[in-house]
């Protein structure tokens, strides 16, 4: 399996990347980053794309991949709806549309979030925008498209892109909220299994991710 990963400089993307590098099913990983990474591995290659809205300019380097694990994103804290929509919806959709035209037999996985609003009409801004993004991605011409809605995710010990607040609550959260907790290993394994085995739902909540990771 050859996979493309975005967001490797964030916690989720880094965790999924580490799982892919350890998994024997994955033979090649292409990080699509805006800035160079220091991470090196025999399976790993890097493509620098400064503007995700212009991904088609890199079509030749993106051919022949089986999956894309789209883990890039930002927090809505301090963002107005227009700015958050541009990054979360416009940029993601442009990236996915370009990939769909290059690799129509690809499986595309988007990391959304627990409590995302599929109706696009709720009061919570980030949930509406992510719901709109999920809905649009499901209409593209991929072999399959999955939307992951994880809750709290325990990172790998070797992860570097983990915020201090997460490091503080990591030991406590799974104890008090086990049904809302996942590990990055489970998230990464579930994404790999989505490509290998498929899943009957296009929207995967926490329990679905746990089931698919088995």
């Amino acid at each position: 399996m050859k996979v493309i990963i975005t967001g490797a400089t964030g916690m989720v993307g880094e965790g999924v990347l580490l799982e892919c590098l350890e998994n024997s099913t994955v033979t090649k990983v292409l990080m699509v980053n805006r800035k160079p990474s220091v991470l090196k591995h025999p399976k790993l290659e890097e493509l620098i794309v400064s503007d995700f809205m212009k991904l088609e300019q890199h079509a030749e380097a993106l051919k022949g991949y089986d999956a894309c694990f789209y883990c890039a994103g930002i927090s809505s804290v301090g963002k107005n709806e227009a700015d958050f929509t541009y990054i979360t919806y416009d940029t993601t959709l442009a990236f996915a549309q370009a990939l769909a035209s290059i690799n129509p037999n690809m499986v595309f996985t988007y990391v959304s979030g627990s409590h995302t609003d599929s109706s696009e009409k709720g009061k919570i801004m980030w949930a509406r925008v992510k719901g709109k993004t999920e809905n649009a991605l499901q209409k593209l011409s991929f072999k399959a498209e999955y939307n992951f809605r994880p809750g709290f995710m325990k990172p790998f010990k070797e992860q570097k892109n983990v915020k201090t607040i997460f490091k503080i609550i990591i030991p406590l959260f799974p104890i008090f909220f086990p049904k809302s907790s996942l590990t990055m290993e489970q998230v990464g394994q579930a994404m790999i299994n989505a490509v290998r085995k498929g899943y009957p739902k296009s929207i995967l909540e926490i329990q679905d991710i746990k089931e698919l990771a088995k």
Side-chain angles (χ1 to χ4, degrees), residues 138-158:
Q138 290 180 71
K139 297 175 182 177
L140 299 183
S141 57
F142 289 112
K143 177 181 178 181
E145 193 276 329
Y146 299 101
N147 298 298
F148 275 45
R149 295 181 174 183
F152 174 84
M153 291 166 280
K154 182 181 178 181
F156 288 100
K157 290 182 179 179
E158 60 266 39

Side-chain angles (χ1 to χ4, degrees), residues 190-203:
M191 288 189 183
I192 293 168
N193 286 344
V195 184
R196 292 179 58 241
K197 304 187 297 184
Y199 197 71
K201 300 178 183 179
S202 60
I203 294 176

Side-chain angles (χ1 to χ4, degrees), residues 10-38:
M11 189 187 86
V12 179
E14 183 186 32
V16 171
L17 172 62
L18 292 174
E19 177 62 26
C20 286
L21 294 179
E22 290 297 319
N23 193 293
S24 60
T25 304
V26 180
T27 57
K28 182 178 179 180
V29 181
L30 178 67
M31 289 189 298
V32 179
N33 293 338
R34 291 186 175 89
K35 297 179 181 179
S37 169
V38 297

Side-chain angles (χ1 to χ4, degrees), residues 150-174:
F152 174 84
M153 291 166 280
K154 182 181 178 181
F156 288 100
K157 290 182 179 179
E158 60 266 39
Q159 283 196 238
K160 298 178 180 180
N161 299 309
V162 181
K163 294 180 179 179
T164 303
I165 185 64
F166 273 89
K167 293 179 181 179
I168 296 172
I169 66 173
I170 280 169
L172 302 175
F173 206 95

Side-chain angles (χ1 to χ4, degrees), residues 102-155:
I102 298 166
N103 296 306
N105 289 322
M106 168 182 281
V107 174
F108 189 93
T109 298
Y110 172 64
V111 179
S112 183
S114 182
H115 305 298
T116 289
D117 178 14
S118 297
S119 75
E120 306 178 30
K121 298 178 181 179
K123 294 181 179 180
I124 302 174
M125 183 270 284
W126 73 261
R128 288 197 312 271
V129 176
K130 289 204 169 186
K132 180 180 178 181
T133 306
E134 286 185 349
N135 292 339
L137 289 172
Q138 290 180 71
K139 297 175 182 177
L140 299 183
S141 57
F142 289 112
K143 177 181 178 181
E145 193 276 329
Y146 299 101
N147 298 298
F148 275 45
R149 295 181 174 183
F152 174 84
M153 291 166 280
K154 182 181 178 181

Side-chain angles (χ1 to χ4, degrees), residues 10-12 71-88 110-112 124-127 129-130 163 165-166:
M11 189 187 86
V12 179
C71 306
I74 59 165
S75 169
S76 63
V77 177
K79 299 287 189 302
N80 60 44
E81 186 161 353
D83 291 342
F84 187 71
T85 298
Y86 180 79
I87 296 171
T88 302
Y110 172 64
V111 179
S112 183
I124 302 174
M125 183 270 284
W126 73 261
V129 176
K130 289 204 169 186
K163 294 180 179 179
I165 185 64
F166 273 89

